[in-house]
Amino acid sequence: MLRSLNLPLFFACIGFVFSGSAQAAIFSDQIGPYHETLAKPIPAGDPALYQEYGFQEAEQADFIGPSGRFHASAWRFADSTGAMAFQQSLAGKTTIAHGNYVFQFTGGQPAQDDLEAFYLDLPKFETSPLPVLPTYLPRQNLIAGSERYILGPVSLERFFPQVSPSVAAFHLGTEAQAGQFSTQKGPMVLAIFNYPTPAIAMERYNEFQKLPGAVAKRAGPMVAVIPQPPDADAAERVLAQVQYNVNLTWNESLGGPTVKDSAKMILTIVALAGIILLLCLTAGIGFGALRIVRRKLGWQGPEADKMIVLHLGDK
């Protein structure tokens, strides 16, 4: 058995495994003046939720340098939206979101310049515009750290279980931003669901209104809902802050021609007229000179210059 082992193939496989592990590592051996001393993968804390957020890999490592040591953790997701949603779920923890990565440093933190250099070597880095939906969440009386981004049925069950997945209709590409607000009668939960079109939002709004005790409002392609608010007046004040604003960018100038533009146009016309006049004058002189040369060389007789007279006045 041992004699039949293909040693070159065996070592090639071992090298592939180790090279794959090295490529999968998030942290490099050094961040600025800090050197890595220990690194290991982090298991998914909530597998179902992590999967919905597009979780790919996580790693933690210890670094030591001239100023001491620190502990670093990193999570990578498929896109920046998943990373943002995961960062919101880590309420109470100081984290840094960069593209599709979320970082947490304890016991210290590298300098910003060292972090920027470290970001350049991140594997499978992806950056895309973040959704604008969180910007529509009202800020007045919003409880700090209560924001939760919802991407599917799992995060809906975790953070906004008052609404069923069938009402949210995630098959339409639905996303939602939830948050808690303080009122005199206790905390109140609001979620804003975003849909592809206002027509779809209106159809879903009718379904949200069927929820027992819920207060809902449609604003463009969004539906804001507060399930069983403890304070009806506070709920109305919060819903009134949910406004959909359409921002259009028009790059075409709508103004008429300026005085400078008109002057340029007149000068262009004059120059063109001058060129045409010069061409006509040159053609006339050339034609006359040609006739004189032909006559001098005897290429045409005197009768060639005779004019044809119709004598119209004699009739």
Side-chain angles (χ1 to χ4, degrees), residues 137-159:
L137 191 68
R139 297 296 154 183
Q140 185 177 356
N141 298 324
L142 177 65
I143 300 176
S146 66
E147 300 95 326
R148 297 291 184 274
Y149 204 73
I150 299 172
L151 287 172
V154 178
S155 50
L156 182 69
E157 181 183 2
R158 297 287 192 277
F159 309 127

Side-chain angles (χ1 to χ4, degrees), residues 24-48:
I26 295 177
F27 290 109
S28 55
D29 295 335
Q30 186 173 352
I31 301 179
Y34 295 90
H35 296 269
E36 183 184 77
T37 60
L38 177 65
K40 61 180 180 179
I42 304 175
D46 188 338

Side-chain angles (χ1 to χ4, degrees), residues 242-275:
V242 180
Q243 301 289 337
Y244 178 68
N245 300 318
V246 179
N247 297 321
L248 295 178
T249 302
W250 192 272
N251 295 324
E252 182 179 355
S253 176
L254 299 179
T258 63
V259 176
K260 186 177 181 180
D261 295 335
S262 300
K264 288 182 178 179
M265 181 179 64
I266 294 175
L267 290 176
T268 302
I269 294 175
V270 172
L272 180 61
I275 293 173

Side-chain angles (χ1 to χ4, degrees), residues 10-279:
F10 172 76
F11 286 112
C13 293
I14 293 297
F16 173 78
V17 171
F18 278 100
S19 63
S21 300
Q23 291 176 357
I26 295 177
F27 290 109
S28 55
D29 295 335
Q30 186 173 352
I31 301 179
Y34 295 90
H35 296 269
E36 183 184 77
T37 60
L38 177 65
K40 61 180 180 179
I42 304 175
D46 188 338
L49 182 64
Y50 277 41
Q51 181 180 6
E52 188 170 271
Y53 285 166
F55 173 74
Q56 293 182 340
E57 184 182 7
E59 186 182 50
Q60 60 184 13
D62 292 328
F63 288 86
I64 186 170
S67 301
R69 64 173 63 236
F70 64 83
H71 181 77
S73 300
W75 296 264
R76 185 178 68 237
F77 295 84
D79 54 33
S80 55
T81 299
M84 181 199 70
F86 176 73
Q87 185 185 33
Q88 288 190 2
S89 70
L90 299 177
K93 298 181 180 180
T94 303
T95 56
I96 300 174
H98 183 72
N100 57 326
Y101 281 85
V102 175
F103 298 97
Q104 182 184 22
F105 299 96
T106 57
Q109 182 175 321
Q112 186 61 34
D113 292 342
D114 296 333
L115 279 178
E116 294 294 339
F118 162 67
Y119 292 155
L120 296 177
D121 295 327
L122 289 174
K124 301 181 181 180
F125 176 73
E126 188 274 341
T127 179
S128 57
L130 291 174
V132 299
L133 184 58
T135 63
Y136 288 101
L137 191 68
R139 297 296 154 183
Q140 185 177 356
N141 298 324
L142 177 65
I143 300 176
S146 66
E147 300 95 326
R148 297 291 184 274
Y149 204 73
I150 299 172
L151 287 172
V154 178
S155 50
L156 182 69
E157 181 183 2
R158 297 287 192 277
F159 309 127
F160 205 71
Q162 300 90 338
V163 173
S164 64
S166 60
V167 174
F170 290 103
H171 66 279
L172 298 173
T174 311
E175 295 183 2
Q177 176 67 68
Q180 293 188 18
F181 295 81
S182 60
T183 70
Q184 295 181 353
K185 298 181 180 180
M188 180 177 61
V189 184
L190 163 74
I192 304 175
F193 293 82
N194 187 48
Y195 293 95
T197 65
I200 296 176
M202 175 60 74
E203 187 269 333
R204 300 321 303 166
Y205 167 74
N206 296 329
E207 296 299 319
F208 279 108
Q209 283 191 314
K210 298 177 183 179
L211 297 175
V215 181
K217 172 188 176 179
R218 186 189 71 86
M222 305 183 304
V223 177
V225 57
I226 301 176
Q228 299 178 349
D231 189 333
D233 292 336
E236 291 295 336
R237 285 192 290 267
V238 172
L239 288 176
Q241 299 178 54
V242 180
Q243 301 289 337
Y244 178 68
N245 300 318
V246 179
N247 297 321
L248 295 178
T249 302
W250 192 272
N251 295 324
E252 182 179 355
S253 176
L254 299 179
T258 63
V259 176
K260 186 177 181 180
D261 295 335
S262 300
K264 288 182 178 179
M265 181 179 64
I266 294 175
L267 290 176
T268 302
I269 294 175
V270 172
L272 180 61
I275 293 173
I276 294 176
L277 181 61
L278 180 62
L279 290 176

